[in-house]
Amino acid sequence: MHSGGCHCRKVRWHVRAPTSVIAWKCNCSDCSMRGNIHFVVPRGRFELLGDSEEFLTTYTFGTHTAKHTFCKVCGITSFYTPRSNPDGIAVTLSCLDPGTLSHAEIRHADGKNWEKFFQESGIASESKIGSTQ
């Protein structure tokens, strides 16, 4: 179990994931501007805590499949619903509280060539129960 959240701590969550994860550094227009590196988990392994929901807002663009949630107070995207895994949650690696993650393998996500990346990467399986992530 990992905990994390945004900078001002108004948004807090728990996520069930291994101590070693595969994380994706994406070069799409949104992720590259934010410097986002994330790992994906099934939605059922992610839980918002307390009154976090009231501090969230969402940005969408393009296909509107991805739901880029961020804190209304500090602006940090600590998690979001990715286009590659609309049934899952992408957790921002740098928003995990320290101490529970032992290793992160960083892989390149070619968001500029999204369709090709999606077909070749196998990322869609990461939001399925029983995935190795």
Side-chain angles (χ1 to χ4, degrees):
M1 183 70 72
H2 307 282
S3 297
C6 67
H7 185 261
C8 71
R9 300 184 67 83
K10 297 288 188 189
V11 175
R12 298 293 299 160
W13 39 258
H14 289 305
V15 62
R16 279 192 351 256
T19 58
S20 179
V21 298
I22 296 170
W24 298 92
K25 182 177 182 179
C26 182
N27 67 355
C28 79
S29 58
D30 185 75
C31 288
S32 62
M33 285 183 146
R34 291 186 292 113
N36 186 41
I37 300 173
H38 65 274
F39 64 94
V40 178
V41 297
R43 187 171 298 276
R45 294 186 181 163
F46 181 87
E47 177 189 9
L48 273 177
L49 302 177
D51 59 355
S52 293
E53 186 74 41
E54 74 179 75
F55 296 101
L56 291 173
T57 193
T58 303
Y59 170 69
T60 67
F61 67 97
T63 66
H64 302 284
T65 303
K67 308 296 184 216
H68 297 276
T69 49
F70 60 95
C71 176
K72 293 178 188 178
V73 178
C74 67
I76 296 296
T77 299
S78 62
F79 73 94
Y80 67 100
T81 302
R83 180 179 174 196
S84 61
N85 302 77
D87 58 342
I89 296 290
V91 176
T92 304
L93 195 60
S94 60
C95 291
L96 286 173
D97 293 343
T100 58
L101 192 67
S102 63
H103 176 75
E105 176 187 333
I106 310 297
R107 294 186 182 173
H108 173 70
D110 189 3
K112 290 182 179 177
N113 299 291
W114 191 87
E115 287 78 9
K116 182 178 181 198
F117 163 73
F118 181 75
Q119 293 299 320
E120 294 176 356
S121 68
I123 194 171
S125 66
E126 293 183 4
S127 57
K128 309 298 183 252
I129 298 294
S131 79
T132 58
Q133 184 76 300

